[in-house]
Amino acid sequence: MDTQKTVLIVEDEKNIVDILRFNLQREGFGTYEAYDGEDGLKQAREKKPDLILLDVMLPKMVGFDVCRALRDEGDNVPVIILTAREEETDKVLGLEIGADDYITKPFSMRELIARVRANIRRTSMATAATAADAAMPVAGNLSINTDSHQVFRGGQAIDLTQREYELLTFLASHPNKVYSRVDLMEQVWNYGYVGDDVRTVDVTVRRLREKIEENPASPAYILTRRGVGYYFAV
Ligand code: CA
């Protein structure tokens, strides 16, 4: 299940913000709102939305300058320009400064939502492809991108918790070496005293196997050395 996608609405006309917020939330998006260009830029930096709907004529800083500033900072968030005018120059300028799309007011909500979805989908596919390409193969069809903290099975990203990721990368970076549950609590969980908590290791290993193994009942990557502990087989 994907985490909720968020859209930052930068628009100074409150009634347009209201209708955008209502429709985006009804379609399952989270929303942020800014009523001028400076606040829009600030929220884009802080909240890292999945997409920005950006009006052109805004108080304090026009939409084009907001978009240009984000691109200059290397931020590739998809931006859809909302232009009030039919003028061709607005559209051309918007695309030249790095906007991904534009939509002319008044717009149909159905079309706007379709554009929002298409632009978010295109970006996340491109990001996933880049991360998968940069991932290091570790064993079988399993690969890890330690920059993005993502794990891939056959090029498909696997959704791991931070602890599952840390356990996997720790074991995979010491292939075929067997670690006891106490070792793993100390190395991966950084716990000094472990006591009964070693069960946590078993539970985490089981969850990890369910996510990375073709057949979790007969694992190929994380194996058990009975009475000793776990190891990553290569
Ligand atoms: Ca405006």
Side-chain angles (χ1 to χ4, degrees):
M1 186 67 195
D2 267 286
T3 50
Q4 188 186 41
K5 299 294 184 189
T6 55
V7 177
L8 170 61
I9 305 162
V10 189
E11 165 65 74
D12 59 326
E13 286 172 64
K14 189 168 185 315
N15 58 341
I16 297 181
V17 174
D18 288 345
I19 193 163
L20 286 170
R21 182 207 307 113
F22 174 80
N23 282 278
L24 287 163
Q25 289 185 355
R26 194 178 56 180
E27 296 292 325
F29 294 98
T31 55
Y32 305 114
E33 295 146 30
Y35 292 89
D36 65 64
E38 281 180 11
D39 188 39
L41 182 58
K42 183 166 171 282
Q43 291 200 48
R45 288 169 175 155
E46 288 171 0
K47 292 171 178 161
K48 297 279 167 208
D50 294 294
L51 182 136
I52 300 176
L53 291 175
L54 186 59
D55 183 28
V56 176
M57 297 309 290
L58 287 165
K60 294 186 183 174
M61 188 176 191
V62 298
F64 292 140
D65 289 342
V66 174
C67 185
R68 190 182 288 118
L70 288 170
R71 295 302 183 243
D72 286 350
E73 293 166 13
D75 190 332
N76 290 318
V77 58
V79 172
I80 301 179
I81 298 274
L82 304 176
T83 170
R85 292 168 290 181
E86 285 288 355
E87 285 174 26
E88 212 53 39
T89 49
D90 258 18
K91 297 171 184 173
V92 172
L93 182 58
L95 298 175
E96 271 178 2
I97 58 159
D100 298 87
D101 206 351
Y102 60 85
I103 195 159
T104 307
K105 296 183 216 173
F107 43 79
S108 95
M109 203 46 68
R110 180 194 293 252
E111 168 157 23
L112 182 120
I113 296 288
R115 300 272 193 102
V116 167
R117 282 195 199 293
N119 278 279
I120 288 180
R121 195 182 316 121
R122 187 166 48 72
T123 315
S124 43
M125 281 169 63
T127 309
T130 311
D133 289 345
M136 306 246 299
V138 284
N141 63 358
L142 208 60
S143 55
I144 299 175
N145 182 327
T146 52
D147 290 330
S148 67
H149 282 218
Q150 281 179 296
V151 175
F152 299 88
R153 192 175 76 186
Q156 286 287 107
I158 303 171
D159 191 21
L160 298 183
T161 65
Q162 183 63 20
R163 196 66 79 188
E164 290 162 353
Y165 172 82
E166 286 169 7
L167 178 63
L168 175 63
T169 49
F170 177 78
L171 288 171
S173 58
H174 305 86
N176 296 326
K177 182 166 165 47
V178 184
Y179 287 93
S180 72
R181 294 182 297 176
V182 173
D183 288 339
L184 291 171
M185 283 307 281
E186 287 173 359
Q187 297 287 334
V188 179
W189 276 260
N190 297 314
Y191 286 2
Y193 170 74
V194 288
D196 291 337
D197 294 345
V198 289
R199 290 276 307 133
T200 306
V201 176
D202 300 332
V203 173
T204 309
V205 166
R206 180 165 50 76
R207 290 217 186 103
L208 193 49
R209 280 173 173 164
E210 283 165 5
K211 292 180 180 180
I212 66 170
E213 301 280 358
E214 301 287 342
N215 179 4
S218 174
Y221 300 120
I222 296 181
L223 304 193
T224 305
R225 176 72 41 84
R226 198 172 289 279
V228 185
Y230 297 107
Y231 65 104
F232 189 89
V234 292

